[in-house]
Every structure is written in structure tokens, then in C-alpha cells.
Amino acid sequence: MFVNKGGKQRTSRAGWSGEGEVAIDPDYPTRLNFYQKAPLLEISIEEFEQFALDRLQVLKAIEAAQLRGRDEAEIFKQVEAVCRERMCLSASAGSMAIRHDERRKDHISHFILRLAYCRTEDLRSWFLRYECALFRHRLMAVDAAEKQRFIASLNLGHKQLSKKEKDLMRTELMASCAHIPNFNFENESFLEVNFEDALDLVQHRRVYLRNGYAYVPAMEQMALVIGEFKRRLAASLEMYAKALPRMDEDERLMPVLLNISRQNTGKEYTTDAVAGKVTADDVEPLSALFPLCMSHLHNGLRSEGHMKHGGRMQFGLFLKGIGLPLDEAIVYWRRAFHKSTDDEFQKKYVYNIRHNYGMEGKRADYTPYSCARIITSNQPGAGDHHGCPFRHFSPDNLRRELLVSGVDEADVQEMLQLVTGGHYQVACTRLFEVTQLARARQQGKAAANVASAETITHPNHYFEQAFNLMSPGKQQNGMEIESGANASQHAIGKRWRGSN
RNA sequence: GGCGGC
DNA sequence: GCCGCCAACATA
Ligand code: SF4
């Protein structure tokens, strides 16, 4: 865990300003927190889960607000409302004991999620993004005195320029502030910080740089603090990720954490035709039921944090076909494109997603691509992951891809044979049999009592067949999650429970 | 990705 | 540089 360099922060003179007579909690002097020190976990399981869930709800609400909210003010309002409901932090209301409990909850819940969300790159970047957003929100919400008190307690080493130094760099400093509306050089003070502490500002050319130092106008200090928060949290998440495997075995914590990181907003599922309403969080677990073309796209998306246009079409429509509604699709893609900024995402991708769902222009509700279309048109080029693996992969690549999927040598041979004969969809059907069908048999599903499957004609057909193999034969009474269990069974289990 | 507009 | 509009079609 990090050593808090400024650990001896206490009252300073802050008691005289802002909050007036309100006593200061030595554990949590302000509502803001850099979460440098892990809390002592003396806490019941119920409280543990409740805390985590509440914070998760807040982070998800921020995500939703940023996607839906029209302007900054509206987003702020929405976030504020959720914060008040699930993670309220009072400035001076109530007793000190109450404020202490609120801040303790904030503290603990942060660390639970930090633990739960350190596991994979995807989870880390999602958590980092929205923790920063939450921190930023609070930084804007608290009053100036409390903010200053907090920043001072951090000891970030922001040295304020003396009048003399400032005058020496006058022209350069003024030039760097040209973008600020009505900037008054005389009244502004400047901070000298290591330039790597101000990377965000440097990138946007909003500061003057000189041999390793950035000179930041004091009004931009908030950006520095947020940047620092982000750096430290990111570093800590990396550390946690490396440390996690070691506590994996003996801790009973792990299952709880796993459960948290896959928690949904608590929506209920209805079992209609196929998979019912699918949420952004369901895509991952359900990917075990995807045909090869789609799982290949899905993998590419996960490892690259991005997907080219052809793939977005093929995969996006497929997802719509499995029951992912528009708003969930937007959340899903936003989350998957973890390299993009909100702004870029909004501008470049949202329109097209909406268009695919028939919400834009001609308002056509497009059907997902069929195998025939995928195989014949729009050949994938360099950097593309769309197309049909059986058709577009080299025999070598295809063999590797199949072996990775756990197909045994003999079956791979058979499929390669079919492919050379141009029977791509038959090969795909064979894959269905040796993976989906075989697993269903092994689990004693009633629906698996067939010798072979019908030939696959459509990726969504593949998915639906695979999905239907799961639900009808629950012979073991909901105890599907055994040794070989993969994530898909969890999601399906949820539906079974919901459908009784 | 293509087409189109400023 | 900003933006809009399009493509699809299995299927019990
Ligand atoms: S045959 Fe159809 S479903 Fe199977 S991989 Fe090719 S395109 Fe996808």
C-alpha cells in the first residue's frame, strides 16, 4: 500500500474558515479523499456487499449520466442526486459520528471496488475512469475552503512562484494563458510543478514549459489534483492486480469480489423468445455461446479496445440480434472502446449505432448479417477482424484459432477438410457440435438428445441454438455452476431463476 | 468503410 | 475540421 507522505495532516488553520465551528474528524478531515491508506476491514458481510453495491451504483450512474446528459450542468445534477441517495457525504449536517460513518463507507467501498476491479485491464480502466469522474464531481461540489484544506493536506509539492520569478517569465506565462477568457496576469499566481505531473495540461498546450517544469496558473490546479489522483489510483490498481493471484486461493473473499465486478443494476430478466433482454454486462458471459466469427471479433475488441468499421457492423448487428437493446449497446460499446474519449466516442460512433437500431435517418431496423453475406461480401483487410474465419482465415490461422477454442486435433482436421471443399457453414456446424452440443450432453441437457445439429445459416441462429441447449434441461436444479463452469452459465442461471 | 453536405 | 446517411433479410 502507498505510504502517505502527508500523513500528519491535521487541522491546520482551516477551522477558522468555511465550516466555522464544525469539529474536524481526525480520520476524515474532509469529504475528499485520495484513498492512500486502506481501511481496517472490521465489517459484516452484509455491510461489505451493501457498501460495494452502493458505490457501484454511483459509478454506473455517472457512466449513464455522461452518456445521456446533454450538458455539464445536467450531468452534475444527475450525479449529485445519485450520490446523495447512495453515498451521501455531509459537510456539516448531523453529528460528527454520522459524518464519520458516511466517510468510512466512502473509504471502504472504494477499496472493495478497487480490489474487485483490479483483475483485468477492462475492469481497471472502467473503474479508473469513473472513480476519477466521481472525484472530480466532488471536487467541484465542495466549498472552496474545504477544497483548499484538502489540497494543502496532500503536499503535492506545488511550489508557488514568487513575484520576482513570475515577472521574469512574464511574457511566456502570459502567452500560455492566452486561451483563458479574461485573464488577469497580476492577480493570478503560478505554480511550478514537475512537467510529468501536468501532462494533461501540457498536451493541450495550456502551460508554459521550461527545463522539466510546467508553470500552471493557480486556477488550473484542480486539473493537477485530478491528474494526480488518477496516476496514483492507476498505479495502485496495477499493484493490486499483481498481488491478487496470491490471495486468490485461501481467501473466501474472491467469490464475493467476482460477484461484485459482474453485478448489474439489478434488472430483472424475462425469458421470452431467446435470451430475453440482454444488458451490456451480459455480453461477456454470453460470448461463450457465440459462433467463431463473433467470438473472434469479441476477442479482438477486448484486446485492442477498438474495432474497425466492418467489424462494428457485423458484431453490432449481431449483438442487437441476441437481444441487446439500444441503450445497452451504447453502454457496451462505450465501455469496450476504452481508449476513446467520451467526446470522440460520441462524435464518431453513437450516430452509427443508433442508425443500426433504426433510430436515425430512414429508420430501418437492420437485420444482422447472414453467413452467406459475411462469407461473400466485404473481405476483411489488414486490421480487420470481421468476416468468417472458416472462409477468410489462412488454414494455419484457422487451425490455431480452433485449437485455442479447445477443439481436438481430429475434429480440427475434419473442419479443415470441409473448408477446403468450400463448405464453410458445414465446418461451422461441426464446431457447434463438438463444442456447444458436446458440452450440453455432458451436462445431461434434455435438448442435447440429438445426433447432429442443423446446418448453421446465420450467426444468430448459431447463438440461439447454443442458448436453447442450456435452459430446457435443468436436471441438477440450478446447480450448474460446477468445476468446468464458465461465465455463460452464470448469466443463464440468472434467467432460469427469474423465469420460474 | 463508403457516399454526401458545409 | 465538423456533420448526416447508408448497409440487412435466417427464422419455426
Ligand atoms: S459460418 Fe456463419 S456463423 Fe459460422 S463463423 Fe462463418 S459466418 Fe460465422
Side-chain angles (χ1 to χ4, degrees):
Chain A
M1 206 103 336
F2 279 90
V3 184
N4 185 353
K5 286 181 235 158
K8 52 208 172 340
Q9 82 256 48
R10 266 309 124 93
T11 49
S12 66
R13 66 235 131 97
W16 303 117
S17 58
E19 297 165 63
E21 309 307 315
V22 178
I24 289 184
D25 185 329
D27 291 331
Y28 303 111
T30 70
R31 283 172 287 174
L32 300 164
N33 196 334
F34 251 38
Y35 311 109
Q36 301 276 31
K37 273 181 61 186
L40 296 172
L41 272 185
E42 288 176 26
I43 183 177
S44 67
I45 284 290
E46 294 77 32
E47 221 185 5
F48 185 92
E49 285 188 318
Q50 192 53 49
F51 281 13
L53 229 61
D54 279 339
R55 193 184 197 83
L56 196 52
Q57 223 61 310
V58 170
L59 298 185
K60 288 198 176 222
I62 295 176
E63 181 183 40
Q66 287 184 354
L67 286 168
R68 282 189 264 283
R70 200 53 222 146
D71 54 9
E72 189 75 15
E74 189 186 329
I75 293 175
F76 186 92
K77 239 182 84 181
Q78 289 180 18
V79 173
E80 188 56 29
V82 186
C83 282
R84 194 159 307 167
E85 185 191 345
R86 324 211 51 141
M87 190 72 44
C88 183
L89 292 177
S90 321
S92 54
S95 67
M96 169 140 149
I98 292 186
R99 290 198 301 278
H100 184 277
D101 282 351
E102 289 172 350
R103 293 173 195 192
R104 170 173 165 273
K105 173 179 176 183
D106 173 57
H107 188 203
I108 291 176
S109 63
H110 169 90
F111 272 91
I112 299 174
L113 292 197
R114 196 189 279 199
L115 217 46
Y117 279 73
C118 70
R119 195 159 36 90
T120 70
E121 175 62 38
D122 274 8
L123 293 174
R124 282 195 297 274
S125 71
W126 185 88
F127 179 66
L128 182 63
R129 176 189 295 266
Y130 294 104
E131 272 296 320
C132 287
L134 175 60
F135 181 74
R136 194 183 116 88
H137 174 85
R138 287 174 172 173
L139 208 47
M140 296 193 307
V142 300
D143 56 274
E146 188 173 2
K147 189 193 306 186
Q148 274 320 115
R149 191 150 50 83
F150 172 70
I151 293 176
S153 77
L154 293 173
N155 294 124
L156 293 175
H158 296 168
K159 184 189 131 204
Q160 185 165 341
L161 286 191
S162 69
K163 185 97 175 70
K164 205 184 208 171
E165 294 167 311
K166 183 176 143 190
D167 281 333
L168 271 167
M169 296 186 278
R170 185 185 191 93
T171 37
E172 292 87 344
L173 290 177
M174 282 186 69
S176 78
C177 293
H179 62 277
I180 300 176
N182 39 13
F183 181 71
N184 182 333
F185 182 76
E186 306 310 328
N187 292 342
E188 186 71 11
S189 55
F190 284 81
L191 305 166
E192 179 186 76
V193 306
N194 293 326
F195 107 103
E196 61 266 25
D197 290 344
L199 278 185
D200 286 353
L201 294 169
V202 173
Q203 276 180 333
H204 296 109
R205 300 208 173 70
R206 306 179 75 136
V207 289
Y208 171 50
L209 276 179
R210 201 179 62 178
N211 45 29
Y213 288 109
Y215 295 90
V216 183
M219 57 185 298
E220 303 268 39
Q221 192 176 26
M222 227 172 84
L224 290 182
V225 175
I226 294 168
E228 185 61 23
F229 179 85
K230 183 172 187 177
R231 255 191 306 286
R232 293 191 191 185
L233 181 52
S236 169
L237 283 168
E238 296 300 335
M239 289 187 48
Y240 273 45
K242 285 177 192 149
L244 199 62
R246 277 178 291 155
M247 56 197 303
D248 180 334
E249 288 283 325
D250 47 87
E251 290 294 335
R252 61 210 166 119
L253 211 57
M254 208 54 195
V256 185
L257 294 178
L258 279 172
N259 195 41
I260 291 171
S261 61
R262 90 161 62 89
Q263 271 301 327
N264 270 329
T265 44
K267 288 171 187 149
E268 275 313 316
Y269 294 91
T270 49
T271 313
D272 345 75
V274 240
K277 291 270 172 279
V278 171
T279 70
D281 294 308
D282 291 331
V283 173
E284 182 65 34
L286 288 173
S287 68
L289 308 178
F290 290 179
L292 194 57
C293 54
M294 298 305 169
S295 54
H296 180 245
L297 280 162
H298 179 243
N299 289 336
L301 178 56
R302 291 185 25 137
S303 61
E304 293 171 26
H306 194 268
M307 186 183 287
K308 310 253 286 177
H309 178 265
R312 287 185 328 250
M313 281 277 89
Q314 184 176 322
F315 193 49
L317 289 173
F318 169 79
L319 290 179
K320 184 177 73 168
I322 73 172
L324 187 74
L326 175 59
D327 50 351
E328 291 294 332
I330 292 177
V331 171
Y332 174 76
W333 286 102
R334 175 66 197 95
R335 218 180 273 177
F337 281 22
H338 40 61
K339 289 185 317 189
S340 307
T341 62
D342 282 317
D343 198 82
E344 182 196 10
F345 179 77
Q346 193 76 19
K347 280 213 269 270
K348 291 184 140 68
Y349 308 114
V350 172
Y351 179 91
N352 290 287
I353 298 173
R354 292 176 50 80
H355 190 272
N356 277 167
Y357 276 79
M359 295 305 296
E360 227 51 88
K362 187 174 54 164
R363 313 198 111 228
D365 191 358
Y366 295 99
T367 312
Y369 293 117
S370 67
C371 292
R373 161 88 59 243
I374 292 172
I375 288 170
T376 55
S377 53
N378 194 12
Q379 252 64 51
D384 279 328
H385 294 285
H386 67 260
C388 171
F390 295 103
R391 169 64 227 264
H392 299 118
F393 280 15
S394 71
D396 238 39
N397 279 302
L398 180 54
R399 124 176 267 110
R400 270 199 299 104
E401 187 89 0
L402 289 170
L403 289 172
V404 168
S405 312
V407 180
D408 66 52
E409 185 60 31
D411 290 322
V412 171
Q413 285 305 339
E414 190 184 344
M415 287 177 226
L416 286 172
Q417 203 64 266
L418 287 164
V419 164
T420 0
H423 307 297
Y424 313 114
Q425 289 162 256
V426 184
C428 183
T429 307
R430 191 73 196 118
L431 177 63
F432 179 93
E433 289 169 354
V434 305
T435 56
Q436 308 296 334
L437 192 55
R439 193 189 56 231
R441 281 209 194 95
Q442 201 178 311
Q443 290 170 191
K445 298 294 162 108
N449 274 336
V450 284
S452 62
E454 328 168 15
T455 302
I456 302 296
T457 58
H458 196 289
N460 289 89
H461 182 214
Y462 185 112
F463 171 82
E464 282 152 26
Q465 299 265 325
F467 189 89
N468 287 333
L469 281 179
M470 312 291 337
S471 45
K474 44 172 175 180
Q475 303 188 343
Q476 300 125 302
N477 227 359
M479 272 312 298
E480 296 303 306
I481 308 159
E482 8 79 337
S483 57
N486 58 38
S488 75
Q489 289 161 343
H490 285 68
I492 291 156
K494 279 195 301 198
R495 292 196 173 78
W496 288 354
R497 269 172 245 128
S499 68
N500 286 341

